[in-house]
Amino acid sequence: MSSEANVRVRPKETEHEINERGYFVRQKNHFTTPFGEGEGKLPVEAGRYRLIWAKGCHWSNRASIVRELLGLEEVISINLVGHGKHEQNLGWEFVFNENQSDPVLGVQFLSELYASADPEYKGRPTVPAVIDVHTGKVVNNDYVWLTNYLEKEFAPFHKAGAPDLYPAELRADIDKYNDFLFDNVNNGVYKAMFAQSIEAYNDAYEHLYAALDSIEERLADRRFLFGDYVTDSDVRLFVTLARFDTYYFKNLGPLRNRIVDFRNIWGYARDLYAIPAFKNNTYLRDLARGNGDKSTIFIDYNTRFWDQIDYEGLWSQPHDRRAKSSDPEQKFKTQH
């Protein structure tokens, strides 16, 4: 049962995460204790943690994809949250479960798990959130490093033949490129969508498309961002690409290009989507679902067409990405 004392109204980004110039400044992650061995780290144990994520949130979608790629389904349990209808915005809720309650944690709202971990926490309760099922508390919401913890610290629990998404020899380069993706693409779309001044919007928009142009060029002669095999960076880019033409476009203003207009990026995105872990954790139709008023002629694109578009067919169209690899039959470098 939910504890009213721990159910919090969701803070508004427009009141807490916009600076004086109208720029969106995303809140910092609060629970950042790393996983690993030794004092001051979260112990790496099978069955101890539960990953909470949401279909629409690409930060959390990254973790759900990597969890399946590495075969951690029996090691880290999982559940989805969504938004319920209340007089006030109470944030992420276990709307897909009976009685809107997580069957393992016994709570209705994600905010309860944040309040249990830190009663003084004032920020937005965000996903991904890793919960210690022994205590019912959030122990990590650090989307910046979470997939890397799954790839590195949880290696003893990886399935046989699991992909090496974070090769030791590339980690410095991957980390640097991930920073670029965060600033310009992953968070770049939000900086444009949430901007409260035209100056902030134009700045974010220009950086976003400059980044997409550089990625389009990078993918001209390589199958994936770091060559022949999928890495952590590809997961991070994919989750934004999957939402661009299905959802983000509505709030981005006049678009210079859709994702389908970038020849290399669009083929690359479909190449990744063909991988079961990507497809299984990407709910394209749910992302596109429109909830506008169909009784008027002036309704948005998604309200009109979200249930008519063959997303599976669109994302399964053939492409020529295999030809860019020296190992075309394999998309992953496996661990040894």
Side-chain angles (χ1 to χ4, degrees):
M1 296 292 292
S2 291
S3 168
E4 275 190 37
N6 281 342
V7 177
R8 310 291 173 85
V9 174
R10 181 184 185 276
K12 296 179 180 179
E13 289 93 340
T14 52
E15 295 178 358
H16 302 282
E17 298 174 62
I18 304 295
N19 71 12
E20 65 280 358
R21 295 172 59 198
Y23 282 74
F24 172 61
V25 182
R26 183 175 294 278
Q27 70 176 27
K28 294 182 179 180
N29 295 320
H30 186 70
F31 298 97
T32 58
T33 302
F35 291 87
E37 296 182 1
E39 187 177 352
K41 295 185 178 181
L42 299 170
V44 177
E45 298 177 7
R48 180 161 182 169
Y49 302 107
R50 188 163 178 81
L51 171 67
I52 308 302
W53 74 287
K55 294 177 182 177
C57 172
H58 77 63
W59 310 107
S60 63
N61 191 196
R62 298 181 340 199
S64 68
I65 291 172
V66 168
R67 169 182 172 270
E68 184 172 334
L69 284 173
L70 299 176
L72 295 172
E73 294 96 325
E74 301 301 319
V75 177
I76 301 171
S77 65
I78 201 167
N79 203 2
L80 281 164
V81 286
H83 292 290
K85 294 182 179 180
H86 305 279
E87 289 185 9
Q88 293 180 297
N89 185 351
L90 300 178
W92 296 117
E93 182 178 357
F94 293 98
V95 296
F96 304 106
N97 297 115
E98 186 177 358
N99 299 320
Q100 292 77 51
S101 178
D102 182 277
V104 173
L105 303 169
V107 299
Q108 182 175 354
F109 297 97
L110 184 63
S111 63
E112 298 176 74
L113 302 170
Y114 273 76
S116 294
D118 182 358
E120 302 303 316
Y121 180 70
K122 303 299 183 184
R124 289 183 290 113
T126 58
V127 288
V130 179
I131 317 301
D132 185 330
V133 298
H134 295 168
T135 64
K137 297 179 179 181
V138 178
V139 292
N140 189 284
N141 74 334
D142 193 357
Y143 59 79
V144 176
W145 294 106
L146 181 54
T147 56
N148 301 127
Y149 296 141
L150 299 182
E151 293 153 356
K152 185 181 176 185
E153 274 66 36
F154 278 83
F157 298 107
H158 291 178
K159 66 183 178 182
D164 190 357
L165 301 173
Y166 198 42
E169 69 276 12
L170 290 177
R171 283 176 189 169
D173 293 330
I174 289 174
D175 291 346
K176 182 178 180 180
Y177 200 77
N178 287 350
D179 287 342
F180 164 80
L181 289 175
F182 173 84
D183 288 333
N184 297 284
V185 180
N186 299 139
N187 199 41
V189 291
Y190 289 103
K191 288 192 286 188
M193 292 190 295
F194 294 171
Q196 300 298 303
S197 70
I198 195 64
E199 172 198 3
Y201 170 81
N202 287 338
D203 189 34
Y205 187 94
E206 290 168 7
H207 280 86
L208 170 64
Y209 272 99
L212 290 175
D213 286 340
S214 74
I215 293 168
E216 175 73 0
E217 183 177 354
R218 184 182 182 100
L219 293 173
D221 60 359
R222 63 183 84 187
R223 188 174 187 179
F224 302 109
L225 291 172
F226 281 91
D228 292 343
Y229 306 110
V230 174
T231 65
D232 181 83
S233 296
D234 295 296
V235 179
R236 296 182 188 230
L237 177 56
F238 173 85
V239 293
T240 296
L241 300 181
R243 288 158 177 75
F244 203 93
D245 293 359
T246 54
Y247 182 74
Y248 291 155
F249 75 92
K250 297 186 299 180
N251 298 314
L252 279 171
L255 293 180
R256 198 201 77 188
N257 296 82
R258 302 165 299 168
I259 293 305
V260 297
D261 298 320
F262 289 98
R263 184 180 184 278
N264 295 323
I265 291 176
W266 177 223
Y268 159 87
R270 284 175 284 157
D271 200 9
L272 290 171
Y273 183 73
I275 299 168
F278 284 81
K279 182 179 296 187
N280 295 343
N281 291 279
T282 304
Y283 298 83
L284 293 168
R285 194 174 299 279
D286 294 78
L287 298 177
R289 186 184 183 108
N291 297 301
D293 181 5
K294 290 189 175 183
S295 66
T296 176
I297 193 67
F298 288 105
I299 54 179
D300 66 276
Y301 177 89
N302 280 17
T303 295
R304 282 179 289 161
F305 302 127
W306 76 273
D307 57 348
Q308 300 177 46
I309 297 172
D310 180 12
Y311 288 103
E312 180 62 27
L314 182 67
W315 278 74
S316 298
Q317 292 175 359
H319 52 79
D320 62 355
R321 301 301 300 174
R322 287 162 51 96
K324 300 182 184 299
S325 174
S326 63
D327 188 10
E329 299 303 318
Q330 302 297 328
K331 296 183 181 181
F332 297 107
K333 178 183 178 182
T334 55
Q335 300 177 26
H336 300 291

